[in-house]
Amino acid sequence: MLNLEGDLPGLLRSLIDIESVSGNEQRITDEVETALSAYPHLKVIRDGNVLIARTELGRRERVVIGGHLDTVPIADNVPATITGEGDDLIVHGRGACDMKGGVAVQLSAAAALTEPNRDLTWIFYDNEEVEADRNGLFRITRERPELLAADFAVLGEPTNAGIEGGCQGTMRVAVTFTGIAAHSARSWRGHNAIHDANGLLRRLADHQAREIEVDGLVYREGLNAVRIDGGIAGNVIPDRCRVLINYRFAPDKDVAGAEAYVREVLAPYDLEVVDAAPGARPGLDRPIAADFAAAVGGTPGPKFGWTDVARFATLGVPAVNYGPGDPNKAHTDDEFCPAADLERCRAGFLAWLG
Amino acid sequence: MLNLEGDLPGLLRSLIDIESVSGNEQRITDEVETALSAYPHLKVIRDGNVLIARTELGRRERVVIGGHLDTVPIADNVPATITGEGDDLIVHGRGACDMKGGVAVQLSAAAALTEPNRDLTWIFYDNEEVEADRNGLFRITRERPELLAADFAVLGEPTNAGIEGGCQGTMRVAVTFTGIAAHSARSWRGHNAIHDANGLLRRLADHQAREIEVDGLVYREGLNAVRIDGGIAGNVIPDRCRVLINYRFAPDKDVAGAEAYVREVLAPYDLEVVDAAPGARPGLDRPIAADFAAAVGGTPGPKFGWTDVARFATLGVPAVNYGPGDPNKAHTDDEFCPAADLERCRAGFLAWLG
């Protein structure tokens, strides 16, 4: 059984040793359910492999704090190992960084915060590392959104134990150039679709990405070709060339606003929107967030990258990312989490909510 | 047994019905060997699945005439079928165009020309439709070049029964752009290799291909991107983009000259030569070629495309393409050969060499 009142590295180690690659979260969810059910201040709700634990103290405000229980596939990095000691102790293994470190902190804080100053909703969910329609948090936002009602949300993805507000939105658009195929020995009979891409690539190369302030944080955007494909054989004039472009946009606009901007910047090229996900405003201009920032210390920054905080945004709940570990180590075979980050994040939650 | 003295459509039909996809030329070579061995004016030499039949009459000049026996794979187009009649008769089936029609003409002419005005070397070979190092003609040029010594060569690939002189050379070069990978949400930490390709594509789009006269024929060149690849995922700034470029060059220059030209035109881009094959001069300024052109009639044109005539060029033998069928039907599932083309080509050989 998980010990939520022992040392954090030990708890993280136990979590890593319960293999929970996406789709295989049954056992870890069972363990989390058993551990949290031992605390009478928490009302525990199980829904598939999503586990929710709530305080119901009638506080004026409610905060939802959560993280995913699944990991990307194992790469000879389970069970966990420990190196160093004291302030330099580090836990290594699959999920140490993304994001069982955050889960360990949250479980420990959930047990400790028996009388929080705001009501708390802890949520642990499955299938974050795979297609969106399997995502447990996404499922709950559709099927039981009332369980997620709150004034503010915190997601425990790794942020080096600092606050990263909101997230960028992301949209992928494709531009397809169509030419006329011909034998390359008689190229004048064809029309080269790859050559036609030059102007679009030039436009992208010259594009100056904007920096946009939202709720006090400055989000830097990006508009980039991420893939190009053209040509079918070494002796054929290509009749097709496709450029896939990724637009990362500040959370001042929704998906429709993002699409309008890309169409304007890349006109007259004919764009096809391939997929899109909205961003999330950080909500750091709210008092509850200011309290959080003061308790945690440091200067909040914007989140560059799309995370599940955007799922809270769709419910109208501003959200930030706050968790132990270096985000650059996520998904790497040698991912790890410093014990100091675990302690700092736990202390942050207790200072803010205790 | 093949009947070399009957009607040409019947002979072509027999050849089509002997399946001879590249690598499976044993039986058709056996049949050709048996048929030609019946003629005492021919000295027959078998070397693997290459069959050579020579006259040795001590003539002042020698002409080598040849074609390949293999085809691309069958596509429900064997056995052969006949449509139309008289002047409109057409033979359909795999190889009808590329190039059993040419082989039928050559076999018929080889049997008929018992007292040619020049010595003749007929050559039928395997594996033309696959990698160059399996090509039977290429093998003989390396292992027994003395068998191919001649003043002039004719290859029977389809030319609509006209003379197409020499052939273009071909060279493929690659330009690889190297950037710095980064998450596309933090694109400023990377450098986009796809964007960097814009200037090269612009250069290719703007390039004006040259027209160059060689031995009285005008060869039109071509410089084209034939493939582009870049990017590894929809959320990663691409650190690599590769453009493959095909240069089709007039036979006024060799491979080194072609490389120098591409480097000059595309400077300062760093080129890697992927592969190259020299072209072949048409030699149409020689009296033997003028005789051929006069006997065949019509106006010789340049060959756009690389063919095995270049293998004769490497031996110092000028060469032209001359065969029945429309080259645009080569490799198509509905390839065919008009009987009129067969008769015209046979008459051309007899008029020139009889």
Side-chain angles (χ1 to χ4, degrees):
Chain A
M1 176 159 156
L2 298 171
N3 176 6
L4 308 191
E5 294 170 40
D7 67 300
L8 282 167
L11 177 56
L12 173 53
R13 185 174 195 162
S14 300
L15 290 168
I16 293 171
D17 291 352
I18 305 170
E19 184 262 291
S20 59
V21 175
S22 307
N24 193 30
E25 299 92 341
Q26 173 87 36
R27 196 181 135 218
I28 197 167
T29 313
D30 290 349
E31 294 276 357
V32 168
E33 180 179 13
T34 302
L36 290 174
S37 295
Y39 294 89
H41 68 285
L42 295 172
K43 179 181 172 195
V44 173
I45 302 165
R46 173 83 176 245
D47 185 324
N49 285 330
V50 175
L51 201 286
I52 293 171
R54 299 163 57 94
T55 64
E56 298 193 338
L57 301 168
R59 303 291 193 240
R60 202 172 50 82
E61 293 182 313
R62 178 173 287 277
V63 175
V64 56
I65 304 174
H68 62 85
L69 295 172
D70 62 320
T71 69
V72 296
I74 306 298
D76 200 22
N77 49 9
V78 168
T81 55
I82 303 269
T83 58
E85 53 188 54
D87 290 347
D88 297 326
L89 188 145
I90 289 174
V91 183
H92 306 259
R94 175 56 75 221
C97 168
D98 184 13
M99 59 163 279
K100 290 182 173 178
V103 169
V105 166
Q106 293 171 6
L107 288 171
S108 171
L113 287 162
T114 54
E115 289 281 343
N117 55 20
R118 285 136 177 139
D119 267 316
L120 300 178
T121 303
W122 305 94
I123 177 165
F124 304 96
Y125 59 98
D126 57 336
N127 283 312
E128 192 269 349
E129 299 289 7
V130 287
E131 345 36 304
D133 57 9
R134 291 172 61 189
N135 183 301
L137 181 61
F138 184 35
R139 182 169 61 80
I140 299 296
T141 62
R142 287 171 301 169
E143 296 175 3
R144 303 178 75 177
E146 69 282 3
L147 290 176
L148 299 175
D151 301 285
F152 196 69
V154 179
L155 200 72
E157 294 274 6
T159 60
N160 287 313
I163 297 177
E164 295 186 350
C167 76
Q168 297 164 309
T170 181
M171 169 174 287
R172 285 186 292 192
V173 300
V175 178
T176 302
F177 295 91
T178 303
I180 300 169
H183 195 294
S184 65
R186 297 176 288 274
S187 53
W188 53 92
R189 295 190 187 169
H191 183 88
N192 196 311
I194 293 175
H195 294 184
D196 283 352
N198 83 82
L200 174 65
L201 299 188
R202 174 67 180 275
R203 196 84 71 84
L204 291 168
D206 289 347
H207 179 71
Q208 296 294 324
R210 296 185 300 178
E211 299 192 341
I212 297 172
E213 185 173 326
V214 183
D215 297 350
L217 296 181
V218 176
Y219 289 84
R220 192 163 169 181
E221 300 197 326
L223 183 66
N224 276 278
V226 287
R227 215 183 258 282
I228 188 167
D229 286 295
I232 56 163
N235 61 354
V236 176
I237 300 302
D239 62 350
R240 189 169 177 280
C241 181
R242 184 171 184 266
V243 183
L244 185 66
I245 298 162
N246 186 208
Y247 177 39
R248 297 284 174 153
F249 53 95
D252 64 321
K253 50 188 137 357
D254 58 10
V255 164
E259 180 178 343
Y261 177 75
V262 179
R263 288 194 184 279
E264 178 194 325
V265 166
L266 297 182
Y269 294 107
D270 190 25
L271 308 180
E272 169 205 356
V273 176
V274 175
D275 53 24
R281 299 183 73 101
L284 290 176
D285 49 353
R286 302 192 181 191
I288 193 172
D291 283 1
F292 182 31
V296 165
T299 306
K303 182 70 179 176
F304 295 117
W306 195 91
T307 76
D308 267 346
V309 297
R311 304 200 188 280
F312 293 107
T314 62
L315 299 177
V317 183
V320 300
N321 304 273
Y322 175 66
D326 179 346
N328 292 317
K329 298 309 292 181
H331 300 194
T332 64
D333 293 351
D334 63 341
E335 62 173 307
F336 61 86
C337 184
D341 274 17
L342 297 171
E343 300 295 348
R344 195 134 52 98
C345 286
R346 183 175 185 276
F349 281 128
L350 299 190
W352 177 35
L353 301 167
Chain B
M1 178 160 155
L2 297 171
N3 175 9
L4 308 190
E5 294 170 40
D7 67 298
L8 282 166
L11 177 56
L12 172 53
R13 185 173 195 164
S14 300
L15 289 167
I16 292 171
D17 291 351
I18 303 169
E19 184 262 290
S20 59
V21 174
S22 307
N24 193 31
E25 299 92 341
Q26 174 87 36
R27 198 182 135 219
I28 198 168
T29 313
D30 290 348
E31 294 275 357
V32 168
E33 180 179 13
T34 302
L36 290 174
S37 295
Y39 293 90
H41 68 283
L42 296 172
K43 180 184 172 192
V44 173
I45 302 166
R46 173 83 177 246
D47 185 325
N49 285 330
V50 175
L51 202 286
I52 294 170
R54 298 162 58 93
T55 65
E56 298 193 338
L57 301 167
R59 304 290 194 239
R60 205 173 47 81
E61 293 181 313
R62 177 174 287 277
V63 176
V64 56
I65 304 173
H68 61 86
L69 296 172
D70 62 320
T71 69
V72 296
I74 306 297
D76 200 23
N77 49 7
V78 168
T81 55
I82 304 270
T83 58
E85 53 188 56
D87 290 348
D88 297 326
L89 189 145
I90 290 174
V91 183
H92 307 259
R94 174 58 76 221
C97 169
D98 186 8
M99 59 164 277
K100 290 183 173 178
V103 170
V105 166
Q106 293 171 5
L107 288 172
S108 170
L113 287 163
T114 54
E115 288 281 341
N117 56 20
R118 287 142 177 130
D119 267 315
L120 302 177
T121 304
W122 304 95
I123 177 166
F124 304 97
Y125 59 98
D126 58 334
N127 283 311
E128 192 269 351
E129 298 289 7
V130 288
E131 329 64 285
D133 57 9
R134 291 171 61 189
N135 184 302
L137 180 61
F138 184 35
R139 183 168 60 79
I140 298 296
T141 63
R142 287 171 300 169
E143 295 176 2
R144 304 178 77 176
E146 69 283 0
L147 290 177
L148 300 174
D151 301 285
F152 195 68
V154 179
L155 201 73
E157 294 273 5
T159 61
N160 287 314
I163 297 177
E164 295 187 350
C167 77
Q168 296 164 310
T170 181
M171 169 174 286
R172 285 186 291 191
V173 301
V175 178
T176 303
F177 296 91
T178 304
I180 299 169
H183 196 294
S184 64
R186 297 176 289 275
S187 53
W188 53 92
R189 294 190 187 169
H191 182 88
N192 196 311
I194 293 176
H195 294 184
D196 282 352
N198 83 81
L200 174 64
L201 298 187
R202 174 68 181 274
R203 197 83 73 83
L204 291 168
D206 289 347
H207 180 70
Q208 295 295 326
R210 297 185 300 178
E211 299 193 341
I212 298 172
E213 186 173 326
V214 183
D215 297 351
L217 297 182
V218 176
Y219 290 84
R220 192 162 169 180
E221 301 196 325
L223 183 66
N224 276 277
V226 287
R227 217 184 258 283
I228 188 167
D229 286 295
I232 56 165
N235 61 353
V236 176
I237 300 301
D239 63 349
R240 188 169 177 281
C241 181
R242 184 171 184 268
V243 183
L244 185 66
I245 297 162
N246 186 209
Y247 177 39
R248 297 283 175 154
F249 55 95
D252 64 320
K253 50 188 136 2
D254 59 10
V255 165
E259 180 178 344
Y261 177 74
V262 179
R263 288 195 184 280
E264 180 194 325
V265 167
L266 298 181
Y269 295 106
D270 191 24
L271 309 180
E272 169 206 356
V273 176
V274 175
D275 54 24
R281 300 184 72 100
L284 290 176
D285 50 354
R286 300 193 182 191
I288 192 171
D291 283 359
F292 183 31
V296 166
T299 306
K303 182 70 180 176
F304 295 118
W306 194 91
T307 76
D308 268 346
V309 298
R311 305 203 187 278
F312 292 108
T314 63
L315 299 177
V317 183
V320 300
N321 305 273
Y322 175 65
D326 180 348
N328 293 317
K329 298 308 292 181
H331 300 195
T332 63
D333 292 351
D334 63 342
E335 64 174 307
F336 62 85
C337 186
D341 275 17
L342 298 171
E343 300 295 347
R344 195 135 51 100
C345 286
R346 183 174 184 275
F349 282 128
L350 299 190
W352 177 37
L353 301 166

